[in-house]
Amino acid sequence: MSKPVLEPSAKYSRVMLKISGEALMGDQGFGLHPPTVQRIASEVKSVQEMGVEICMVIGGGNIFRGLAGSAQGMERTTADYMGMLATVMNALAMQSALEGLGVFTRVISAIPMDQVCEPYIRRRAVRHLEKKRVVIFAAGTGNPYFTTDTAATLRANEMACQAIFKGTKVDGVYDKDPKKFTDAKRYDTVSYDECLAKHLGVMDASAIALARDNSLPIIVFSLDEPGGFRGILRGEGTYTRVQG
Ligand code: UDP
């Protein structure tokens, strides 16, 4: 298959897409919902066809979160490793869905598990992107006490992504929960510091600080909007841009 060439309308040539594990569970409240995984995969495919190089980080909260485990008496680092393993399962599910749509995809894990996926080698990951393969970074940062938001920001910096796209259930960052308050206002742009000071819930604090310190914009958009990801790559639609 020939490699897609970057569409002139594309505003970015290499991006990181961060989604939570919960985005993959559909309405069932837990685990993986294959039709939902396939729907998100087709959104990713439509951007990959624009010639945009795509990195992905998928959380693990639909299966296991370290904090929840430790709250129930489990040793924290063990619980965090279980959370990281959950992200590998999600990454494999997304790889399977993308490959089912004909999109070449590599899963790269921060914790080596050679029979399952590739280990993280930065130059190799860059090469995959240059070949227009979607690269899914699994197992977070490989360290306990971190989240996949921080992993996404770290890998986005390492891969020289131009922005992180944080796919959520709403079309941006609001001053209060738009699902509860009808007068909630959406920000077009908001600074990293305001996100931190007002606890706007874009990403966790260490991820926002890492993005701020490296001037990496975070674009918060709705993943529920069909064609939304592709539209924003072309400069259309509604979203919030977190920047300096
Ligand atoms: N995790 C970790 N280190 C990392 C990334 C993730 O220990 O670098 C663990 C942590 O226990 C976390 C779980 O993996 O709760 C799942 O990740 P996260 O909570 O970020 O998933 P999301 O909320 O995005 O679904």
Side-chain angles (χ1 to χ4, degrees), residues 127-193:
R127 193 75 194 109
H128 287 317
L129 290 170
E130 287 167 354
K131 290 184 177 172
K132 308 286 180 187
R133 295 170 181 152
V134 172
V135 176
I136 308 177
F137 294 98
T141 62
N143 300 290
Y145 295 96
F146 285 93
T147 65
T148 53
D149 281 349
T150 304
T153 314
L154 171 68
R155 297 295 186 229
N157 282 318
E158 290 180 277
M159 295 298 118
C161 292
Q162 294 148 336
I164 302 181
F165 283 72
K166 167 102 181 178
T168 72
K169 289 191 172 306
V170 288
D171 61 352
V173 183
Y174 285 77
D175 58 353
K176 47 192 161 188
D177 187 347
K179 301 225 185 240
K180 289 190 194 139
F181 299 93
T182 49
D183 62 339
K185 288 199 179 61
R186 187 179 55 77
Y187 295 90
D188 281 335
T189 60
V190 62
S191 72
Y192 303 107
D193 287 337

Side-chain angles (χ1 to χ4, degrees), residues 18-240:
K18 165 72 204 328
I19 57 175
S20 69
E22 285 171 355
L24 305 185
M25 70 189 184
D27 293 331
Q28 62 192 17
F30 180 79
L32 285 155
H33 182 240
T36 303
V37 181
Q38 279 153 18
R39 184 185 62 75
I40 296 173
S42 64
E43 297 289 326
V44 173
K45 177 182 170 150
S46 72
V47 170
Q48 190 259 355
E49 285 171 341
M50 291 170 67
V52 176
E53 294 169 3
I54 305 173
C55 305
M56 284 182 82
V57 166
I58 308 171
N62 56 323
I63 300 171
F64 196 83
R65 276 209 180 88
L67 264 182
S70 74
Q72 291 175 328
M74 197 177 277
E75 196 259 323
R76 172 69 192 266
T77 53
T78 303
D80 277 340
Y81 281 119
M82 290 173 67
M84 287 184 253
L85 293 176
T87 73
V88 180
M89 292 174 66
N90 285 337
L92 293 175
M94 183 57 69
Q95 178 182 40
S96 170
L98 283 165
E99 290 187 341
L101 296 172
V103 179
F104 293 108
T105 307
R106 293 290 185 271
V107 174
I108 296 192
S109 173
I111 298 173
M113 45 182 96
D114 296 351
Q115 284 80 357
V116 177
C117 53
E118 290 183 17
Y120 178 63
I121 299 170
R122 193 187 69 85
R123 285 172 194 277
R124 195 190 285 182
V126 169
R127 193 75 194 109
H128 287 317
L129 290 170
E130 287 167 354
K131 290 184 177 172
K132 308 286 180 187
R133 295 170 181 152
V134 172
V135 176
I136 308 177
F137 294 98
T141 62
N143 300 290
Y145 295 96
F146 285 93
T147 65
T148 53
D149 281 349
T150 304
T153 314
L154 171 68
R155 297 295 186 229
N157 282 318
E158 290 180 277
M159 295 298 118
C161 292
Q162 294 148 336
I164 302 181
F165 283 72
K166 167 102 181 178
T168 72
K169 289 191 172 306
V170 288
D171 61 352
V173 183
Y174 285 77
D175 58 353
K176 47 192 161 188
D177 187 347
K179 301 225 185 240
K180 289 190 194 139
F181 299 93
T182 49
D183 62 339
K185 288 199 179 61
R186 187 179 55 77
Y187 295 90
D188 281 335
T189 60
V190 62
S191 72
Y192 303 107
D193 287 337
E194 197 171 343
C195 284
L196 289 171
K198 294 188 177 163
H199 301 281
L200 291 177
V202 175
M203 282 187 167
D204 63 75
S206 36
I208 293 176
L210 188 58
R212 178 193 61 194
D213 295 350
N214 295 283
S215 303
L216 182 67
I218 305 167
I219 290 166
V220 183
F221 73 105
S222 169
L223 205 59
D224 289 350
E225 185 69 36
F229 186 28
R230 184 185 174 100
I232 292 168
L233 262 295
R234 288 182 170 150
E236 301 156 3
T238 51
Y239 56 88
T240 297

